[in-house]
Amino acid sequence: MRSVRPALVAALLAVTAPAAAGCSTGPSLENRGAVTAPPGDSRHLTIGSSGLTESDLLAEMYASLLRHAGYHTELLSVTNREIYEPALESGQIDVVPEYAATFADWLNTRAHGADAEPVGSPDLAATMKSLRPLAAARGLTVLAPGRAVDQNAYAVAAGYAAKHRLRTLSDLGRAGLPVRLAAGDECARRPYCSPGLKKTYGIDITGIDPKGIGTTAAKQAVQRGQDQMLVTTTTDATLDDFGLVILADDRRLQNADHLVPVVNRSRAGGEAVRRVLDRLNRALTTRDLAAMNEQVDSWRRLPEDVARTYLRSRKLIPAR
């Protein structure tokens, strides 16, 4: 069976809000830094989603795969990590799709404070080495990272790229062109954004147009030539609609935000769940995910339909 439990959100908020406000102590079966419960294999699993298109698609795929493996699955959409991560610790949510470097840095600031040195990096192995003990201390298990990556990316107008022979961010730096960047306000101080583009690539960032990350307004500004480049993501499905192309991050400025399933160890930490979700990790690519995002965002298809079609096309679930 598959069911969605929007009514649980209010109850979940009430239970997890105090933990989200401070540093959660984790589930009762876990001591900080020392796991005491064996890996669990509950047959009734709740799959969490952040409510964004990509998260919804991943949650639908997780639920479908687990359902075909004999689990009863339910979906629960919670709008932010501050709420769903404590719910994952407590066992109200059993599985969520996450992003390796982002989740590592988020857990690290919870454990060591807002000024903690980031542990996420462009090196996937190093990022996972930091992430797993941070998660384990909260009763969570991080499964193997997948092939798909959703990280920050930088896009320019296709005509601009062709005119100046740009394929990579290094090309843009060598060209010495002045670049006004459409991005979020935080870009001015984030090491992967304006400071990193200047330091790593030598790009002449002349100003930041605060239009947000991957927004329609940012894309239109670059399309019109008001700005020369925007911050988006590697799974952005609408770039072609605006005549934009991504410049390759050839010197690996961006962190390794590979998709990783994260599970509550005492409820879903067993080998069976790992095997099921590893099948998707081995198949799903960044391009696949971008194409599915497009079907939902541009073609207005339902996430569950898109997810099911993809899984069938890769023979991950039966055709009927």
Side-chain angles (χ1 to χ4, degrees):
M1 289 181 63
R2 172 189 175 276
S3 59
V4 181
R5 299 191 294 171
L8 282 183
V9 173
L12 189 151
L13 288 170
V15 173
T16 61
C23 190
S24 170
T25 58
S28 60
L29 291 177
E30 306 295 336
N31 295 318
R32 183 97 29 211
V35 176
T36 58
D41 189 27
S42 171
R43 308 310 291 180
H44 291 72
L45 298 177
T46 299
I47 317 300
S49 162
S50 69
L52 300 175
T53 295
E54 187 166 290
S55 186
D56 286 347
L57 283 164
L58 290 163
E60 291 282 357
M61 286 190 284
Y62 288 3
S64 184
L65 286 166
L66 289 165
R67 188 166 62 253
H68 279 86
Y71 293 86
H72 175 99
T73 60
E74 299 177 288
L75 297 180
L76 182 60
S77 182
V78 184
T79 55
N80 62 68
R81 191 176 281 113
E82 287 77 9
I83 299 299
Y84 72 67
E85 191 278 332
L88 183 62
E89 289 186 32
S90 70
Q92 292 170 290
I93 293 175
D94 302 305
V95 186
V96 295
E98 263 293 355
Y99 303 92
T102 296
F103 196 48
D105 283 338
W106 193 84
L107 289 179
N108 191 47
T109 59
R110 292 201 72 197
H112 302 113
D115 296 327
E117 190 72 20
V119 295
S121 77
D123 186 326
L124 177 60
T127 296
M128 294 298 294
K129 186 176 180 180
S130 296
L131 170 57
R132 284 189 161 128
L134 286 166
R138 295 180 177 277
L140 309 178
T141 297
V142 181
L143 305 187
R147 299 168 63 193
V149 185
D150 187 356
Q151 61 192 167
N152 286 332
Y154 295 87
V156 300
Y160 178 85
K163 178 180 178 181
H164 299 289
R165 299 182 179 180
L166 307 176
R167 298 181 64 186
T168 68
L169 290 171
S170 289
D171 292 340
L172 182 56
R174 284 191 293 268
L177 299 165
V179 174
R180 181 173 163 88
L181 181 64
D185 292 332
E186 72 281 0
C187 180
R189 62 182 183 277
R190 292 288 174 87
Y192 62 77
C193 203
S194 179
L197 291 171
K198 293 176 182 178
K199 180 179 179 180
T200 302
Y201 290 106
I203 296 173
D204 181 16
I205 304 295
T206 61
I208 295 174
D209 188 2
K211 284 186 164 58
I213 296 177
T215 64
T216 297
K219 292 169 185 173
Q220 289 173 337
V222 174
Q223 184 184 42
R224 293 192 298 262
Q226 175 185 337
D227 299 329
Q228 285 71 51
M229 188 163 67
L230 77 145
V231 184
T232 183
T233 65
T234 52
T235 60
D236 190 324
T238 63
L239 293 175
D240 286 347
D241 297 341
F242 295 88
L244 306 176
V245 294
I246 289 176
L247 298 182
D249 178 23
D250 54 308
R251 295 185 185 174
R252 298 177 67 203
L253 173 63
Q254 301 306 310
N255 282 345
D257 262 331
H258 291 246
L259 289 168
V260 289
V262 182
V263 303
N264 178 291
R265 184 178 185 275
S266 65
R267 288 184 49 80
E271 187 61 28
V273 169
R274 184 189 305 271
R275 284 198 303 267
V276 169
L277 298 184
D278 276 352
R279 294 178 63 214
L280 178 62
N281 273 346
R282 290 192 295 268
L284 185 67
T285 67
T286 304
R287 180 173 293 184
D288 292 340
L289 197 51
M292 284 190 281
N293 284 339
E294 181 180 25
Q295 291 178 56
V296 176
D297 291 337
S298 298
W299 305 357
R300 301 305 178 191
R301 293 187 62 195
L302 294 174
E304 55 264 39
D305 293 338
V306 174
R308 183 171 54 251
T309 299
Y310 176 80
L311 294 177
R312 286 174 174 168
S313 74
R314 296 300 187 271
K315 296 181 171 54
L316 296 174
I317 61 172
R320 284 292 181 270

